[in-house]
Amino acid sequence: MLDTVFRAPRVITTVGESARSIGIRDGRIVAIEPLDAGLEAGRVIELGEDVVLMPGLVDTHVHINEPGRTEWEGFASATRAAAAGGVTTLIDMPLNSIPPTTTVEGLEIKRKAASGAVYVDTGFWGGAVPGNLEELRPLHDAGVFGFKCFLLHSGVDEFQPLASAELEQYLGVLQDFGALMIVHAENSQSIDRAPAPEGERYRRFLASRPRGAENMAIAEVIEAARYTRARVHILHLSSSDALPMLASAKRDGVLVTVETCPHYLSFTSEAIPDGATQFKCCPPIRESANRELLWEGLREGVIDCVVTDHSPCTPELKRFDIGDFGVAWGGISSVQLGLRAVWSQARTHGFSLTDVSEWMSARTANLAGLSRKGRIALGYDADLCVFAPDEAAVVAASDLEHRHPITPYDGMALAGVVRETWLAGEPLDLDAPPRGRLLRRGDV
């Protein structure tokens, strides 16, 4: 006897969208049959043709900031927002918490803060910073999913960047035990030489983070990965100029993958009002022509996946009082809206919901080595999203589940509505106690 059966005219499986019956037992998918197969269960869910049953999203780039900066966000609020947006698994970044996740002790402090507070399954990246080379293997053995480094100042003093020689040294160590390095790739010297970003004008802020800073840093990462044969992942790509060299590196066999974010695929610099610091992020949102080339990068497979880079802060830190891009904190709050934002643009660019699921569920799960996540397939966790792709709704920041009502999507009409999110074969109830698990690399 199955616990639950979904009978759905529209299901996204590994072979695309089709009508299927999905059988669930003990939190796992154990049957995928034709719609009329007659599967029986204690609970049968009949879905209509207006919704798609798709894998829950796997968001591998989320800043939760707890402990130490819990007033910015927190495990409970961030994972509630994730669940409301169809995300069933997320991986937390090693900053901006205090302490950062750069030691096993820091990891355990973070796990203690998260225990009993997460609505969705939650894992952790480790940090690679100057002086913690000897911590990498212990963190790996303790279950982090890989390591994040910066090539310029991170914005917080407790998470310092790696110099070029250190990057190569650290990659050499990680290659020894097959760990992944994820990289914030902007060249600090290029940014130091660029115009200062002070003031309300978005164009001045954009000029302060030139494409060349990204391009130079990405080239450095590619060559370091080529030499060490380590696995590297480029975070939040915003410069389309880097796509040809990334494509070339992949053809050469360099072990490099690439992500971009909903805000780079949705917004354009020309449309950002001066003083609208809710749009500030680093690297920045660029021109409309750049955005279209990022979509082509997804079409051609140079960009592997899409993640939110949810990076919230308090309203005061966004400096809405003066609208100064030079002093406002950079980060986009979007973990609840990623699926809807990407689908709104994807459908106008000729992509299907199957494509979106591949970018935001299957490939992100692959990136982190989550071998039972991100797909509706036999043996996989029954983490599911019931999504109405043809509905539309206007975003109201005040209605979102994350801690502060700040997002550049406020007031936008987005396509698609998340009707339900299921975790391990049960619907997520945000009024009930959290039941997400804390994940360790190798456990899933």
Side-chain angles (χ1 to χ4, degrees):
M1 189 70 172
L2 300 170
D3 299 328
T4 304
V5 167
F6 279 91
R7 293 178 182 152
R10 303 175 67 185
V11 180
I12 295 177
T13 68
T14 56
V15 294
E17 183 182 313
S18 57
R20 288 288 184 268
S21 288
I22 307 298
I24 298 167
R25 183 188 300 121
D26 297 329
R28 300 274 188 90
I29 297 167
V30 297
I32 301 176
E33 301 290 345
L35 185 60
D36 58 358
L39 295 179
E40 297 183 358
R43 174 175 52 192
V44 176
I45 310 295
E46 302 271 1
L47 297 181
E49 294 189 359
D50 61 324
V51 296
V52 178
L53 184 65
M54 58 190 295
L57 272 63
V58 178
D59 194 340
T60 54
H61 196 149
V62 179
H63 293 268
I64 292 178
N65 308 328
E66 186 177 5
R69 292 188 174 95
T70 309
E71 70 275 14
W72 292 19
E73 183 61 281
F75 285 104
S77 54
T79 57
R80 281 177 64 91
V87 177
T88 51
T89 303
L90 61 80
I91 304 185
D92 174 54
M93 284 290 163
L95 74 164
N96 303 300
S97 56
I98 303 174
T101 317
T102 54
T103 64
V104 173
E105 180 185 10
L107 173 64
E108 292 309 314
I109 290 171
K110 182 167 280 194
R111 290 178 63 86
K112 183 177 180 180
S115 180
V118 295
Y119 285 84
V120 302
D121 289 352
T122 302
F124 303 93
W125 295 110
V129 297
N132 85 326
L133 191 65
E134 299 302 319
E135 295 283 349
L136 301 184
R137 186 58 189 258
L139 276 165
H140 178 79
D141 293 343
V144 300
F145 285 85
F147 297 88
K148 180 178 185 177
C149 73
F150 277 73
L151 301 185
L152 80 171
H153 195 276
S154 68
V156 293
D157 291 338
E158 65 272 10
F159 202 97
Q160 290 293 313
L162 294 181
S164 297
E166 289 174 314
L167 173 65
E168 204 163 279
Q169 181 186 19
Y170 278 53
L171 287 179
V173 170
L174 295 184
Q175 196 275 339
D176 287 343
F177 47 93
L180 173 68
M181 180 75 92
I182 63 176
V183 185
H184 183 124
E186 288 182 283
N187 179 270
S188 59
Q189 187 178 52
S190 296
I191 290 175
D192 288 344
R193 292 172 173 175
E198 72 266 15
E200 297 182 354
R201 298 191 66 191
Y202 185 79
R203 287 179 61 186
R204 187 175 180 90
F205 169 64
L206 181 60
S208 76
R209 312 289 291 215
R211 296 187 194 201
E214 266 193 278
N215 304 336
M216 289 180 66
I218 290 170
E220 179 182 346
V221 173
I222 288 171
E223 293 314 306
R226 190 192 307 273
Y227 174 70
T228 61
R229 302 193 62 78
R231 292 195 300 137
V232 297
H233 178 72
I234 303 299
L235 297 168
H236 43 52
L237 179 71
S238 81
S239 172
S240 62
D241 292 352
L243 291 170
M245 74 170 112
L246 287 163
S248 176
K250 289 186 173 196
R251 288 193 298 268
D252 290 347
V254 177
L255 302 177
V256 59
T257 50
V258 189
E259 70 184 35
T260 193
C261 303
H263 40 277
Y264 301 129
L265 298 170
S266 299
F267 302 118
T268 64
S269 62
E270 297 94 332
I272 296 175
D274 289 343
T277 55
Q278 65 269 32
F279 289 89
K280 181 181 177 179
C281 57
C282 299
I285 296 162
R286 303 191 188 277
E287 303 84 356
S288 58
N290 182 86
R291 179 185 68 174
E292 296 310 303
L293 289 170
L294 292 178
W295 278 106
E296 287 305 305
L298 279 166
R299 191 183 308 277
E300 294 169 5
V302 182
I303 300 173
D304 299 274
C305 54
V306 183
V307 296
T308 61
D309 189 10
H310 177 71
S311 185
C313 67
T314 62
E316 293 76 18
L317 287 174
K318 276 296 187 182
R319 297 310 308 264
F320 294 123
D321 55 335
I322 56 175
D324 190 331
F325 284 96
V327 297
W329 178 261
I332 301 288
S333 297
S334 59
V335 69
Q336 187 170 334
L337 300 171
L339 173 58
R340 296 176 59 202
V342 173
W343 172 235
S344 296
Q345 291 292 323
R347 66 190 302 174
T348 67
H349 285 80
F351 294 101
S352 68
L353 198 54
T354 299
D355 296 319
V356 173
S357 179
E358 182 72 13
W359 303 329
M360 303 187 78
S361 300
R363 292 187 190 171
T364 45
N366 283 349
L367 172 72
L370 292 162
S371 58
R372 295 202 313 265
K373 301 287 190 182
R375 290 177 172 82
I376 295 178
L378 294 177
Y380 277 62
D381 291 350
D383 299 344
L384 306 167
C385 172
V386 180
F387 187 63
D390 296 323
E391 285 191 35
V394 175
V395 175
S398 58
D399 293 338
L400 299 178
E401 297 288 345
H402 57 70
R403 186 175 296 276
H404 299 292
I406 303 169
T407 180
Y409 295 96
D410 188 30
M412 285 186 65
L414 295 179
V417 172
V418 175
R419 295 268 186 89
E420 291 183 332
T421 304
W422 288 60
L423 182 69
E426 295 293 332
L428 278 172
D429 181 358
L430 299 185
D431 294 323
R435 59 180 180 86
R437 297 176 296 163
L438 300 185
L439 306 178
R440 296 182 189 267
R441 181 195 49 79
D443 289 348
V444 288

